[in-house]
Amino acid sequence: MSFDVQGRLHEIFDETQVSEKFRKREFVLEIPDGSYTQYAKFQLTQDKCGILDNYKKGDEVKVAFNLSGKPFTKNGTTMYFTNLQAWRVEHAGAAQPQAAGNPYAQQPVKSSSFISDDMDNDLPF
């Protein structure tokens, strides 16, 4: 399942070498949600760990990610793990300069609402 969300970079962690063949980098996104703020931790893996090199805490970003979940049973007890696997990060709002050579840093996409004012709304409900 693929989703996207916009928020402010709250924390960026260093890259971690989990095993000889697997590395990851995590970051926390601060997401306004009415009167409450949500803090969601995302994960980048392998060659995507460098995506955050051109960003800093406080930057407003849009994150594209996949949602995955897996059960894990140990000693007869099943626990469930949910992962937010980011695969693209881009600046939100005003255009920001991008460093050359980073294939994952993309120019911001013009934000538009789901239903624009000039769009003819033919929906039957």
Side-chain angles (χ1 to χ4, degrees), residues 50-88:
I51 291 175
L52 292 176
D53 290 346
N54 297 316
Y55 298 92
K56 64 186 181 317
K57 282 174 63 171
D59 284 351
E60 190 76 21
V61 295
K62 182 177 178 183
V63 177
F65 64 97
N66 294 331
L67 172 66
S68 64
K70 293 183 169 89
F72 174 74
T73 303
K74 182 176 181 181
N75 300 329
T77 302
T78 302
M79 300 182 328
Y80 297 90
F81 295 94
T82 303
N83 186 19
L84 304 176
Q85 183 70 42
W87 50 272
R88 181 175 62 214

Side-chain angles (χ1 to χ4, degrees), residues 3 43 47 72 78-79 100 112:
F3 301 93
Q43 174 179 283
D47 61 332
F72 174 74
T78 302
M79 300 182 328
S112 62

Side-chain angles (χ1 to χ4, degrees), residues 106-124:
Q106 299 183 5
Q107 294 298 323
V109 176
K110 183 180 177 190
S111 176
S112 62
S113 65
F114 180 68
I115 300 176
S116 65
D117 293 336
D118 57 357
M119 180 183 194
D120 187 18
N121 189 356
D122 297 0
L123 299 176

Side-chain angles (χ1 to χ4, degrees), residues 4-70:
D4 61 71
V5 66
Q6 185 171 321
R8 185 175 314 278
L9 282 171
H10 180 72
E11 192 159 355
I12 300 173
F13 298 99
D14 291 333
E15 184 178 311
T16 304
Q17 191 75 36
V18 177
S19 71
E20 185 178 320
K21 296 182 179 183
F22 182 74
R23 60 191 170 109
K24 70 177 183 176
R25 187 173 189 186
E26 297 175 322
F27 64 97
V28 176
L29 197 63
E30 181 180 328
I31 306 164
D33 184 22
S35 58
Y36 299 99
T37 300
Q38 303 297 322
Y39 295 87
K41 184 166 71 170
F42 293 83
Q43 174 179 283
L44 296 160
T45 58
Q46 303 302 78
D47 61 332
K48 291 184 176 44
C49 290
I51 291 175
L52 292 176
D53 290 346
N54 297 316
Y55 298 92
K56 64 186 181 317
K57 282 174 63 171
D59 284 351
E60 190 76 21
V61 295
K62 182 177 178 183
V63 177
F65 64 97
N66 294 331
L67 172 66
S68 64
K70 293 183 169 89

